[in-house]
Amino acid sequence: MKPNFSLRLRVFNLNCWGIPYLSKHRADRMKRLGDFLNVESFDLALLEEVWSEQDFQYLRQKLLPTYPAAHYFRSWNLSFSGIIGSGLCVFSKHPIQEFTQHVYTLNGYPYMVHHGDWFSGKAVGLLVFHLSGLVLNAYVTHLHAEYNRQKDIYLAHRVAQAWELAHFIHHTSKKADMVLLCGDLNLHPKDLGFRLLKEWTGLHDAYLETQDFKGSEEGCTMVPENCYVNQQELELFPCGIRIDYVLYKAVSGFCISCKTLKTTTGHDPHSGTPLSDHEALMATLCVRHSPPQHNPSPTHGPVERSPLISVLREACTELDLGVAQARWWATFASYVIGLGLLFLAVLSALVAEGGIREIAILLWTLSVGLVLGVGAVYLFHLQEAKGLCRARAELQHVLGRAREAQNLGPEFKPALFLEHQEGYRTEDQ
């Protein structure tokens, strides 16, 4: 590869708000999205909330001349979470070499039907591309929605999802020269989950790094000017919120920069009506050789004041709270099950003695349904506690190893810590 090698990559990302029967003007917006993507001719278009496979197939045929490669990520697990699918898909000018996906362990509550996240398989999809001799790992994801910032009952789930996402990227990108992550993270830039993701993976935020930004104020991806946005959700944020991202990094020997970043501003650039309730992100990334660096100056303070250490502690604390809450609900459900079984025993005795049979049988039937329903709630929260405990154990392990990394010197850098971790894995093997 030539020393003056450079590669330009144009990337598009959008949460399409494609809920069948519920999203307004869905068919028209999908048509205009396809027209827009054909005109702009990006290298990669990564989409979220394409919940209908028919919409994907429509876009697939419409974009085939410009984007010959495409993939739709389906998700499903034995707990029936994710029966709607992941809603994630990718269209590419370049051949897809490999693809896989990871469905998040925790994704809301099945009895919160009006939110619907549990029924959609929130996941992260990975596609591997070979571009001019470089290996690009492109990730697309969609995390659990927030709904209520003041009383966020899903915070622990989103932190766990952010950790799973960071962990998945770390373990699947070892052979990659470039890493790209796009998606609707449902996380504000200063939220715990976003800080955890950035600190552990070392990804760069295109909005903060770009040399040329054009678009909505502060890079917001949900803005009050968009007619599809629920204005009540933005009462605390008059300028809007930034929850959709283009994140990237390059490994040693290469550097990657964001030349331009654009967002839509509440309307389609061509017709004036929005493509979605979210704003689209359009980034131009430039990859080139990086000159070797000798003895780079450390950028982080002592290990105890390291941002990574701090965010790991915060995440462990939040997961502790989530575990306690999940166990409380499981315990409460077990008490209800016990009372229900006792009530069933009394009703059975009344029926056996020839009491008021019709009423007793009706109550017995209702009680059986209640016990079974509460039993499902008990099992769900038991599994929730186990999932949170697993994520907490992984975080605590990383936190312990980070403290051990003090032996690397008085200053601590997450990148050096990751290399230290790889050394341990090699020795163990």
Side-chain angles (χ1 to χ4, degrees):
M1 191 174 293
K2 297 179 181 179
N4 59 351
F5 165 86
S6 66
L7 172 70
R8 192 184 75 151
L9 191 68
R10 296 184 66 232
V11 179
F12 176 89
N13 178 77
L14 177 67
N15 178 321
C16 297
W17 190 46
I19 309 172
Y21 312 111
L22 295 178
S23 297
K24 297 178 181 178
H25 312 134
R26 178 172 60 92
D28 175 65
R29 289 188 290 106
M30 288 294 173
K31 177 181 180 301
R32 289 189 289 109
L33 173 62
D35 293 337
F36 179 77
L37 291 177
N38 274 328
V39 169
E40 292 294 329
S41 189
F42 297 96
D43 290 286
L44 288 174
L46 303 102
L47 308 178
E48 304 86 53
E49 286 205 25
V50 182
W51 298 117
S52 168
E53 191 162 350
Q54 290 181 343
D55 287 341
F56 168 74
Q57 293 298 341
Y58 169 79
L59 289 172
R60 179 79 178 92
Q61 292 302 316
K62 191 177 185 68
L63 299 176
L64 189 59
T66 311
Y67 304 87
H71 183 69
Y72 186 72
F73 291 97
R74 300 165 181 85
S75 66
W76 175 263
N77 60 45
L78 295 178
S79 69
F80 297 100
S81 173
I83 57 177
I84 298 176
S86 73
L88 306 174
C89 61
V90 176
F91 299 91
S92 171
K93 280 185 177 181
H94 311 281
I96 299 172
Q97 303 299 324
E98 303 174 44
F99 60 81
T100 188
Q101 67 177 336
H102 171 73
V103 179
Y104 297 121
T105 305
L106 300 170
N107 189 39
Y109 306 107
Y111 47 80
M112 301 295 283
V113 179
H114 58 297
H115 287 164
D117 289 74
W118 187 82
F119 299 95
S120 60
K122 298 296 176 67
V124 51
L126 161 64
L127 302 104
V128 179
F129 299 93
H130 293 170
L131 307 177
S132 301
L134 300 183
V135 178
L136 167 66
N137 276 21
Y139 300 84
V140 58
T141 192
H142 187 193
L143 303 190
H144 198 293
E146 186 175 62
Y147 296 108
N148 188 331
R149 195 160 181 84
Q150 286 72 38
K151 190 177 181 181
D152 188 2
I153 62 174
Y154 301 113
L155 179 56
H157 284 213
R158 277 204 314 286
V159 171
Q161 287 182 347
W163 172 246
E164 282 189 53
L165 172 60
H167 223 39
F168 182 74
I169 292 173
H170 174 61
H171 286 292
T172 56
S173 62
K174 299 183 188 302
K175 296 181 180 180
D177 298 305
M178 301 174 288
V179 174
L180 173 69
L181 169 63
C182 295
D184 176 6
L185 301 184
N186 276 308
L187 296 168
H188 295 226
K190 294 183 180 180
D191 283 355
L192 172 60
F194 187 70
R195 289 185 286 117
L196 177 64
L197 173 65
K198 282 191 65 179
E199 289 296 333
W200 182 239
T201 61
L203 290 168
H204 300 284
D205 185 348
Y207 172 71
L208 299 179
E209 303 288 337
T210 186
Q211 301 171 15
D212 179 18
F213 173 76
K214 295 179 182 178
S216 56
E217 187 174 351
E218 298 180 0
C220 292
T221 56
M222 290 193 79
V223 297
E225 293 81 8
N226 189 309
C227 63
Y228 294 132
V229 169
N230 182 352
Q231 300 299 323
Q232 292 181 348
E233 296 179 0
L234 300 181
E235 284 181 347
L236 299 176
F237 308 96
C239 295
I241 57 177
R242 187 162 76 95
I243 56 176
D244 303 84
Y245 297 89
V246 173
L247 306 172
Y248 59 86
K249 73 172 181 179
V251 300
S252 178
F254 296 93
C255 68
I256 190 168
S257 59
C258 183
K259 295 298 183 184
T260 65
L261 178 68
K262 298 179 182 179
T263 73
T264 51
T265 54
H267 56 83
D268 183 325
H270 295 166
S271 71
T273 54
L275 291 172
S276 172
D277 60 342
H278 287 241
E279 301 308 314
L281 291 165
M282 294 158 278
T284 301
L285 306 177
C286 183
V287 184
R288 55 184 174 79
H289 270 296
S290 175
Q293 298 180 357
H294 302 284
N295 300 321
S297 59
T299 59
H300 294 268
V303 64
E304 288 303 318
R305 294 194 299 272
S306 164
L308 177 62
I309 296 294
S310 175
V311 76
L312 287 172
R313 285 174 172 168
E314 285 185 64
C316 287
T317 300
E318 188 56 48
L319 293 186
D320 282 339
L321 296 174
V323 170
Q325 185 76 357
R327 286 175 174 169
W328 186 92
W329 279 110
T331 303
F332 176 77
S334 68
Y335 289 151
V336 174
I337 292 171
L339 291 173
L341 292 175
L342 180 60
F343 188 55
L344 283 174
V346 172
L347 290 175
S348 299
L350 288 175
V351 172
E353 291 176 2
I356 308 175
R357 296 179 60 88
E358 292 79 6
I359 296 178
I361 290 174
L362 177 61
L363 291 175
W364 189 88
T365 303
L366 293 174
S367 299
V368 168
L370 176 64
V371 169
L372 291 176
V374 176
V377 171
Y378 168 78
L379 292 175
F380 171 81
H381 283 291
L382 201 62
Q383 287 299 110
E384 178 192 19
K386 289 181 179 179
L388 290 170
C389 283
R390 186 185 73 175
R392 182 184 61 183
E394 292 173 353
L395 283 165
Q396 288 174 338
H397 174 75
V398 172
L399 185 59
R401 296 302 287 266
R403 287 169 175 158
E404 289 179 14
Q406 292 179 83
N407 297 329
L408 294 176
E411 302 290 331
F412 174 71
K413 294 178 68 178
L416 293 178
F417 169 57
L418 295 181
E419 294 174 6
H420 189 55
Q421 287 283 78
E422 294 305 318
Y424 273 110
R425 292 192 185 96
T426 305
E427 292 172 8
D428 292 341
Q429 293 173 352

